[in-house]
Amino acid sequence: MKKLINAPENVVTDALTGLAAAHPDLAVDVAGKVVARASGPTPGKVGLVSGGGSGHEPLHVGFVGYGMLDAACPGEIFTSPVPDQMVRAARAVHGGAGVLYVVKNYTGDVLNFQLAAELLEDEDIEVATVVVDDDVAVEDSTYTAGRRGTGATVFVEKIAGALAEEWAPLAAVAAVAREINERSRSFGIALTPCVTPVTGRPGFELGPQEVELGIGIHGEPGRRRGPLASAGELVQIALDAIHQDMPLSGDLLVMVNGMGGTPLIELYLVYAEVKRYLDKLGARITRNLVGNYITSLEMQGCSITVCRLTDDLARLWDAPVQTPALRWGR
């Protein structure tokens, strides 16, 4: 294992120390593992909180800031944060209008956020929870019951965050978050496994001419293992699965996301293939992201996430955002 770390058991706290030094507009509780806006809660505004295992950066800590999250709680590598973190995060951002928890559909995350919400209700803090489950590849995988939450989490946090900045009530912010989840689908492909710092070994084995189709962000098995193929062929497999589950038409928001170890030149090549596929369907990509947004350490591969936009959702996507990993219009 070759990694730029000090000690495997200190990777998350060391990284949070660096995050605090690099971004003074964030309030980083290194010991308690909570990252929030340094400005504190905004009176009358819904507070958005998310979190999950570390190793997926910039998700979630890189999306804390104006127009997206108010706070995030990172767990250990590929491990859910604990309810105490989630409670502290909600308290730190509660401005009197309630808190929205955005939760990827992994069993540990769902259970811990649910417990945190129950604890906050005892403090008269209103909490709504939205579970993201956009992955079309498999159901009832290693880490979850039902579909996994993957790339659509970025869309949910951005669009719900924009609506929250408009002082919308908690019910409306939760409703738009659920709408984005319902209108989004994802599919991931791995060319290599990743190595967690604590274990020091790959999470699974792939031959030099093999790929895993439908991979999860923790290295979970996909739909099947197949031979290495061209980018166009792999994109077709991914988008065929998405299109079968949710017919693709109209205006689309598309994210070609790197899994952490894929060069940007390859991601742009994949995006060209995605556009070619969707052009043949008569669909229009009107918004896009290409880059590393929800990763799996140093895994090579990509995921493709597609959201069917409406005019109002496009307006909220375009709204100003200023976070470490996503920023425009401000």
Side-chain angles (χ1 to χ4, degrees):
M1 179 178 70
K2 291 183 179 179
K3 290 182 180 292
L4 294 172
I5 63 175
N6 295 315
E9 63 273 16
N10 295 333
V11 167
V12 175
T13 53
D14 286 352
L16 289 175
T17 301
L19 180 75
H23 299 285
D25 53 341
L26 298 179
V28 182
D29 178 354
V30 174
K33 296 188 179 66
V34 171
V35 178
R37 302 188 197 185
S39 56
T42 303
K45 175 189 169 299
V46 171
L48 260 69
V49 176
S50 193
S54 297
H56 306 304
E57 290 72 21
L59 199 81
H60 294 272
V61 294
F63 297 130
V64 176
Y66 182 88
M68 287 191 79
L69 296 176
D70 292 274
C73 21
E76 292 299 323
I77 301 292
F78 295 174
T79 303
S80 173
V82 297
D84 284 351
Q85 287 174 260
M86 300 163 182
V87 169
R88 286 197 301 273
R91 288 173 181 158
V93 305
H94 179 50
V99 172
L100 177 66
Y101 277 156
V102 178
V103 186
K104 300 187 304 301
N105 189 32
Y106 294 94
T107 301
D109 291 8
V110 171
L111 292 176
N112 286 349
F113 271 105
Q114 181 180 3
L115 178 56
E118 293 170 358
L119 293 171
L120 289 167
E121 287 175 4
D122 293 338
E123 301 178 21
D124 292 326
I125 296 178
E126 185 180 6
V127 178
T129 300
V130 173
V131 176
V132 181
D133 57 354
D134 56 304
D135 178 38
V136 303
V138 297
E139 293 197 28
D140 302 326
S141 68
T142 307
Y143 288 80
T144 191
R147 293 184 170 184
R148 302 172 294 206
T150 57
T153 312
V154 179
F155 297 171
V156 169
E157 292 176 358
K158 170 62 184 79
I159 292 175
L163 188 61
E165 297 292 353
E166 296 180 355
W167 307 94
L170 180 59
V173 177
V176 81
R178 294 188 180 100
E179 181 183 4
I180 287 296
N181 180 59
E182 292 167 359
R183 300 177 74 92
S184 300
R185 300 291 188 275
S186 296
F187 191 96
I189 297 168
L191 308 182
T192 69
C194 62
V195 177
T196 59
V198 171
T199 65
R201 60 179 183 272
F204 58 94
E205 298 291 337
L206 275 178
Q209 296 299 315
E210 288 183 317
V211 297
E212 188 77 19
L213 300 168
I215 197 72
I217 58 174
H218 307 95
E220 308 97 306
R223 283 188 170 186
R224 61 184 175 88
R225 189 159 295 183
L228 180 63
S230 70
E233 290 170 311
L234 295 177
V235 165
Q236 181 170 344
I237 291 170
L239 288 179
D240 280 351
I242 291 173
H243 184 52
Q244 182 178 9
D245 195 84
M246 181 186 74
L248 299 172
S249 62
D251 292 346
L252 303 176
L253 164 60
V254 171
M255 179 171 68
V256 172
N257 169 69
M259 300 305 293
T262 308
L264 193 55
I265 190 171
E266 296 180 23
L267 297 180
Y268 279 122
L269 193 156
V270 168
Y271 181 79
E273 295 297 334
V274 171
K275 185 177 185 305
R276 184 174 292 115
Y277 182 104
L278 294 173
D279 284 348
K280 290 179 180 178
L281 292 179
R284 299 174 299 278
I285 303 177
T286 61
R287 307 291 189 278
N288 72 77
L289 288 177
V290 181
N292 289 310
Y293 296 99
I294 173 169
T295 62
S296 187
L297 294 172
E298 80 282 19
M299 181 185 288
Q300 292 182 353
C302 71
S303 63
I304 300 169
T305 303
V306 183
C307 175
R308 295 181 295 116
L309 287 174
T310 65
D311 289 344
D312 196 47
L313 295 180
R315 179 188 67 80
L316 292 169
W317 178 260
D318 291 340
V321 59
Q322 186 171 344
T323 72
L326 210 64
R327 56 180 63 206
W328 58 70
R330 193 168 191 251

